[in-house]
Amino acid sequence: MAGTIEGLPETGVWIDNASHPAASGETFATLNPATGEVITRVASGDEPDVSRAVDSARAALRNPAWGRIDPHERARLLWRLAELIEENADELARLETADNGKTWFESRKVDLPQVVSTFRYFAGMADKVHGETIPVPGPFMNYTRREPVGVVGCIVPWNFPLSLASWKVAPALACGNTVVLKPAEETPLSALRLGELAAEAGLPPGVLNVVPGFGTKAGAALVQHPDVALISFTGSTETGRLIVREAAGTLKQVSLELGGKSPNVIFADADVGAAIRGAASGIFYGKGEVCAAGSRILVERPVYDEVVDALAERAASLTPGDPMARETRMGAIVSETQLERVLGYIDAGRREGARLVAGGRRHDPGGRGFFVDATVFADVTPEMTIAREEIFGPVAAVLPFDDFEEGIELANRTIYGLAAGVWTRDVAKAHRFAAAVDAGVVWVNTYNRYDPATSFGGFKASGSGRELGMKAALEKYTREKSVWVSLA
Ligand code: ADP
């Protein structure tokens, strides 16, 4: 199977615009999940490497070439980085697909263009970061300054390695911060390449450092470091809880974009064909390894059978295959551990009495690689494990409901609150649903839409803080200072 990147050299820790071996000299293997083969070995960062990266990021804040840079020039550098990413999009997409198992279609046609537009959008913001003048009583004037928070630690997961890195790195740099980026141990390659491209774009040394390594080592060291002002984390809810604890000692700010069990709600008055297509891509896109995956498909009774049958049919037509092949639309699960986890949930669905209508098995093209068939369970009840826990795989749980109130009640019956979809032709019903659902993002008659100009993030156990959007970026990546001046 294609996908292995021939002759990719071992990669180091990226600090001060140069590659270094880890202080310990240790490396770890990164695998191609479509073949189970080692792509290359990567330096295993730990506390000394994180400290070195943070020192470099602190020095870069003081370096006039970054700390006092003309904001128009900062914008130009970020725009240049966007251009370099675009010029190297084929290579970056190959790294992403080899490392993660996602299809070439997703890496090259969806993720990479999004990464480029994210850097472009935030390049546009870089010279528009400013405070306000506030009218105050008496002979005084008051104004606010929006300053960079300092060194930002960005910790990202393996499902959208470069996209999610760009969601953090671009706004953090636009606001004048410096960054230490910790990619997931499963997928470090595209982030390391981003570090090189940032240097090529002209970002001064230390502005963007990349420390690959394990979460409990490099990740924990970054969160605990006293000179890191803010941790911007995307990952599982479980790890989010650990991070809050790790951060408590230094009282740094923490922004969390965590897991979900998002409802995709189909009312009987919907354009049912569009709803079925949206529900299928809402759970199967990205192998379901998507924090906002519409993993609970709630269907109003009159169209329930029709939706279940059509979803089963669509799932059966989504054969997993070589992620590098241009026509493949379902790639490999990121790792063997994740594959086992997904299969475990499928077993739980069967055991607890859900009706399996599609998939349900490991897919085995030639005995190699970590593939699973697109799976649909019907007649799921809200108490079942597969209706409650985030699976992070291509497994849909379909539940019937009888009216609007029950639909909303089921939609909100979860510890999570990341995203929600609603399908109806009734405009008032759509808005009533959008207002009543506990989710940070609501999609009406569509699903999985993202844009750098609008915010993304969750309620409840799906996290706090927002990604993307000018306002959210300003609040998260700057600190506000209020200045009083006597006019007497
Ligand atoms: P998943 O469960 O999807 O693999 P995680 O939430 O465990 O995702 O991982 C997301 C990111 O968090 C990865 O970069 C991982 O290395 C990192 N990480 C894991 N554990 C910790 C930790 N205790 N402290 C800091 N970072 C961590």
Side-chain angles (χ1 to χ4, degrees), residues 154-159 182-187 211 213-224 231 233-244 246 257-258 334-335 338 341 390 392:
C154 301
I155 302 181
V156 295
W158 44 256
N159 57 343
K182 211 299 279 173
E185 45 272 46
E186 293 85 352
T187 54
V211 182
F214 291 92
T216 47
K217 293 183 167 184
L222 189 57
V223 181
Q224 285 162 354
I231 289 289
F233 172 75
T234 299
S236 63
T237 295
E238 215 180 343
T239 303
R241 289 194 183 99
L242 287 177
I243 285 188
V244 170
E246 288 165 0
E257 201 266 273
L258 307 176
V334 70
S335 65
Q338 186 60 18
R341 218 176 116 84
E390 183 175 46
F392 232 58

Side-chain angles (χ1 to χ4, degrees), residues 1-6 32 35 37-39 98 324:
M1 189 173 288
T4 300
I5 306 220
E6 298 298 329
N32 179 345
T35 61
E37 285 165 8
V38 174
I39 305 171
M324 284 290 179

Side-chain angles (χ1 to χ4, degrees), residues 11 20 37 90 101 222 225 232 269 295 368 384 455:
T11 56
H20 312 269
E37 285 165 8
D90 283 349
L222 189 57
H225 200 292
S232 179
D269 61 7
S295 50
R368 300 189 309 160
M384 289 181 186
S455 75

